[in-house]
Amino acid sequence: KNVVSGKCRSSPANNMGKNGGHRCKDVIDNARKVMLNFLDHSKVSLEKEIFALISELDSAISSSGGTIKDNGIFKEGLIVLFELVTILEDDAVPVPTENVESCFSNLDASTIVMWDSIALLLFKLFDDENSKRLNAKKNSFMKLENEEADAMLRAIERPMFEIVGIEGQNDTILYSLINHEARYKQFISMLKCLRIFLKGFGVYLCNELRLRKVVEHLVIPLLAFDLNMLPGGKDAKSISVQKILAIHIEVLQCTIQVLRLRRNSSTLLSSQHLYFDTRRIKENSSSQSIGETILHVLVKIMNVDAYLKQEENSWIYYSCECLMTFLKTMDSNTKKTGKTVVSISVQMQVASIFKWVHKSLQCQLLELPLFKTRSSIYSILELLGTLVQLYPKSCAQFWALFLPPPTSIRQTRSEHDGSEAPRNCNLIHIMSMPDDSTTSLFDIRVKATHCCKDILQALPFNLWSRSGYLAGRIESSLDAIIETTMSILSKQISVNEMDAVYSLAVTIITVVPYEKYSILMDSAVGLVKQIAQNYSKYGLHGGLGLEVVVGALIESLGGKEMPNGDITPLPLPMQKFLMGSMSSSFFNQLFFKISEISSKTVIERGIQTMIQMQLFVKVVKSAPWIFHENSKRLDSMIDLLKLLLSSDDKMLIITGSELLSAFIVGQKQGGFRAVCSEEELPISLYECLYAALTQKDTRIRCSILSTYSLMSFNVWRILLMRTSHNPLNIILSFAMEYSGDPNSTVRSDACKALGNISTVLIKGYSALESNDLSLDVLDNIIKETAMVTVNATEDSNSSVRSMALFAIGNIIYDSVQSNKWRHARLLPMQKLCRVVYESLFDENDKVVSNAIRTSGHFYTLLNLQILKSDEIPTGMDTYLELSDRCLKKLGDMINQAVEDAIQVSETKSWKQRMNTKKQAWGACQAYSSILQYSSLSRNLPNEIFEMAILNLIRCVECAHDVNEKIIASALSCLTLIDVETWKSVSFESRIRGRCLSACLSKKALKSFIPSIERDVHLIMSSLTFSLNDQDIQSLLTGHENIQENLENLYLWMVDNASPSQMFESFGDALLTTSMNFDFSLAQRFKSRAVCTKRRLRSMEDLRPSESDTNSDDDEL
């Protein structure tokens, strides 16, 4: 009892110090002797040694504040302790008999105390404060061998397994256990030991097999214990619900610890591990995976109505925590395997959880006191947020449970019943709940606000908007959300609550497609106005919460770069507000603050100042029309730019560069007249920008390079004509590794800037007259840029190599688009070709992707040079050789993408598979240029050419699995092959028949985009004119679903008025083939051939002959 209560303390000599270590060693040695000769000792002597060892280990923790001085002795003592427990419990476990209650009659109270003591010892060892100190010191006793951890777990789990009843009598023994007070207490202590052990030592278990045994024989049977299905027809009133609930709480905590061991639990919860012992789960008629079974029993516990009526509601917290941990682990497993389809069983359980969350919120908020249910409500809301994030499609089905119903419905019900309107505990209701005198609901309101935001992000607004109108239910809910959000923002709230509410406001403004849902436009504009008014309340130096308000305004202005490279547009409510009269006070306040900042000789760089300048940058970029209303605004911006760019503070210089970039981008937006073009800005600004380019700080140089890459042709034309302050020479020098900038980020940004600048210059100079003197400047720039970027492809940094290839691709692509094939004479074409080919084998995926893009542009330029000039490109043999090699390498990339689509690789991550798809898509696009060059340079296709066509055909054959973009690119490439090239393909490869079969299969599918259907039609038109009898026989014998394909082919030939010879050839082939086909199909082809011939003959008979036209017999 003293050990359990914590009152037992040894003398200072009993700790793990110099003397205490010897005493503990003696206790351990004595325990080992007893253990080795346990047959000669009584149960009492074993218990005596166990309690002595527990006392020593407890003193070791308590006397030194958690710092164990002799870790080896402590670890040894812990191992011996669990070995003694194993020996003791071997003789104490109950054996199932006909009278199950007699199993527990000989239980001693000392056994209960022993397990309580072990649980307390482990708790002290692994409580938060001690574990932090122990982990910080990296004590060796925390590191167990796998075998030692397994032995300790066996010592704890074995008596528990015997109690639960592995042999099938678990329900009976568990029922008796609950009605036996002493054994019940011991079992609770065992569960606590198991939970704490898994928390502290679970990471050292060998593999998932140990955890699987715990889950199969302990967790699932205990959680599946059903109050409504008691053994022997016993009544539920004869059992203590509190005790069952206590056991379930402990098991839930153990389950949480198991699930947190991600390395083992991820494997355990995979679909490969089945749970066959279905007699413990009465509702299951077939075997499920262990993961599905755990989810089933967890949902089953949560739906026990008797638990919701108990005052003890901590089970809600542990149930929600267990479910969240489980769902996150399952989601992680799904992402690793690349599967996107959730099993039907999991979908059904997720639906049940959504319904339970709704029911529990009603019960907790409307029926029980808030001070008792505050933590439970928070846990339920946290579970709801996890569900919405992990299963957004399911959320789209159950959103109405958590958002407010239409007011008209509530009024109609109350009028019909003659009573008050029914209370509905939804998220809006929780968001608006005030604090009472005893309970603060701040955290609950914040969590409800986050849940509301997550639901709005998960709703399929774009899908719903296709109908052209908004359903009344969602319209009313959105209107209530906007109204409630505006009401909260108009009040004084804490900064932490501001974060959640303003985040919800941004979601309302940016997520809903108001161009379709115009009925909500006025409400949304009012919400934007409320945020702007809140901003105007702050003074020049801001105040508490200004960062949150400014952040919401910045997010609401759009312009955010998405993962695919697109930029989010300016949301319609924000655009309506900024262009309306309501925004004048907001703009005036913003420009007043900017004028105050720029009026000082030195800007004080504080948090409030910086965030207001960030807002100004975003406004200048998203609302370029603001300078039309007042010319002084432009002057304020120019003054601020000069002050920022000439500052000594690096953050201010970067802000100035971002502001100039925002101005350039904003003035280029369509639909707005530029109040001042960038070339009309004072030249002193560009001089300041040039000076900042030579700053030592890396971030400054990168920011300035980004600004230069955005400048228009007119600005560059001015800068390039100046003898001083010409930035292009500096940018060229930055791109070189050894003689340029030492920082790889700057070199990469320099290459990217060169690519963008080349695009601007080539497009601009192509519009000039050919005798313009500035064309010589362009030629020199192309030569220098090509030389620098080609050398940069050998940089040691992969990002630099990638951007160098990007710059080369831009030069080539824009030369093609501008029809300036003469630039090919200025480029080191042979070196470029070899560099691009070698880059296809780079270890970095981004480098490979840019190499694929550049290879396609390169051969397009060669094709343009062959077709539009009389001169033959020098190095023709080199280009042909490398074109064959490129085709082979690109074909390997396409095949890899097809293989990944057919059978998902478990060794590749999601990102790696996505890169493979992107490279295959680019490879199909590059194929078209390389194949065209190969056909222009050869008379007949070679084997590599035919292999390339087969790779494209395989993409079409696997259209069900392969990404649609890859299919579209492959078909687009196949359309470039003309009839003569198809005829020249060798028969042995069976390419023509295979390609036609693939096209026929895709012709039957109606789920593809129109461009795919068009390309399939073009390919079939070319193929059918190049087929011979051997190709038709190949088509009939080598492919699946040929009967359906031939029917589709017949219909297509009829629609496209194919010649009679083609119908006759297919009819003859069907009659002579050894394959079993429907005879009527051959008859259809043959009869159509006869009908077509007859029609042509009748048309020839009706056509007047030459002799008839010259005859005078019909004249008077």
Side-chain angles (χ1 to χ4, degrees), residues 1053-1080:
M1053 291 170 62
V1054 171
D1055 293 338
N1056 290 273
S1058 298
S1060 60
Q1061 296 86 349
M1062 191 179 301
F1063 285 102
E1064 190 168 4
S1065 298
F1066 275 97
D1068 293 338
L1070 286 170
L1071 292 174
T1072 57
T1073 185
S1074 59
M1075 303 292 292
N1076 293 324
F1077 288 105
D1078 188 355
F1079 183 74
S1080 63

Side-chain angles (χ1 to χ4, degrees), residues 782-783 786-787 790 808 811-813 815-816 820-837 854-866 871-876 878-880 882-883 933:
I782 290 177
K783 286 181 181 179
M787 179 183 66
V790 167
I808 294 171
I811 294 173
I812 298 174
Y813 175 78
S815 298
V816 173
K820 299 294 182 182
W821 56 265
R822 67 183 191 85
H823 291 157
R825 294 197 300 265
L826 306 175
L827 301 176
M829 296 294 285
Q830 294 191 45
K831 187 174 182 180
L832 271 178
C833 185
R834 196 168 295 280
V835 163
V836 171
Y837 168 72
T854 306
S855 65
H857 297 335
F858 178 83
Y859 280 98
T860 301
L861 183 62
L862 282 181
N863 296 334
L864 182 67
Q865 188 176 3
I866 294 173
E871 58 187 60
I872 299 176
T874 57
M876 180 69 74
T878 302
Y879 300 146
L880 276 174
L882 292 179
S883 70
Y933 175 78

Side-chain angles (χ1 to χ4, degrees), residues 293-466:
T293 307
I294 293 176
L295 183 58
H296 173 81
V297 295
L298 288 175
V299 174
K300 180 181 176 183
I301 284 182
M302 298 177 75
N303 283 285
V304 177
D305 292 334
Y307 287 175
L308 285 173
K309 300 177 182 179
Q310 300 296 316
E311 292 186 5
E312 170 61 43
N313 56 14
S314 62
W315 70 274
I316 295 181
Y317 165 78
Y318 293 116
S319 297
C320 294
E321 184 69 22
C322 190
L323 266 175
M324 286 188 291
T325 309
F326 174 85
L327 294 174
K328 289 177 182 177
T329 304
M330 292 286 285
D331 181 68
S332 177
N333 285 357
T334 303
K335 289 180 178 178
K336 286 180 181 178
T337 57
K339 298 179 180 178
T340 57
V341 180
V342 182
S343 67
I344 300 297
S345 174
V346 174
Q347 290 180 28
M348 294 174 61
Q349 300 300 341
V350 168
S352 299
I353 299 172
F354 270 111
K355 296 175 183 177
W356 177 86
V357 169
H358 175 255
K359 180 181 72 174
S360 301
L361 283 177
Q362 310 302 312
C363 175
Q364 296 290 308
L365 279 169
L366 301 180
E367 299 178 8
L368 300 176
L370 279 176
F371 71 91
K372 291 184 178 181
T373 61
R374 180 174 173 273
S375 60
S376 301
I377 296 171
Y378 185 88
S379 301
I380 294 170
L381 291 173
E382 196 171 15
L383 173 60
L384 175 60
T386 303
L387 282 174
V388 173
Q389 293 174 8
L390 297 181
Y391 302 97
K393 293 183 178 179
S394 297
C395 172
Q397 301 175 9
F398 298 101
W399 62 269
L401 297 176
F402 309 103
L403 298 185
T407 307
S408 59
I409 293 179
R410 296 199 298 269
Q411 292 176 348
T412 302
R413 289 178 181 174
S414 61
E415 292 173 359
H416 178 74
D417 299 337
S419 59
E420 295 183 359
R423 293 180 296 172
N424 189 324
C425 179
N426 52 69
L427 293 177
I428 299 301
H429 171 72
I430 301 174
M431 287 169 55
S432 306
M433 290 174 60
D435 297 334
D436 57 26
S437 57
T438 59
T439 307
S440 173
L441 302 178
F442 150 74
D443 53 345
I444 292 179
R445 290 195 297 268
V446 170
K447 183 56 67 175
T449 306
H450 284 306
C451 288
C452 189
K453 181 196 71 172
D454 293 337
I455 289 176
L456 290 182
Q457 290 176 338
L459 292 181
F461 287 111
N462 291 323
L463 180 63
W464 291 346
S465 64
R466 294 178 184 176

Side-chain angles (χ1 to χ4, degrees), residues 730-747:
I730 298 179
I731 298 175
L732 286 169
S733 66
F734 280 170
M736 293 180 283
E737 181 172 14
Y738 298 106
S739 60
D741 198 287
N743 189 281
S744 60
T745 305
V746 177
R747 297 198 303 274

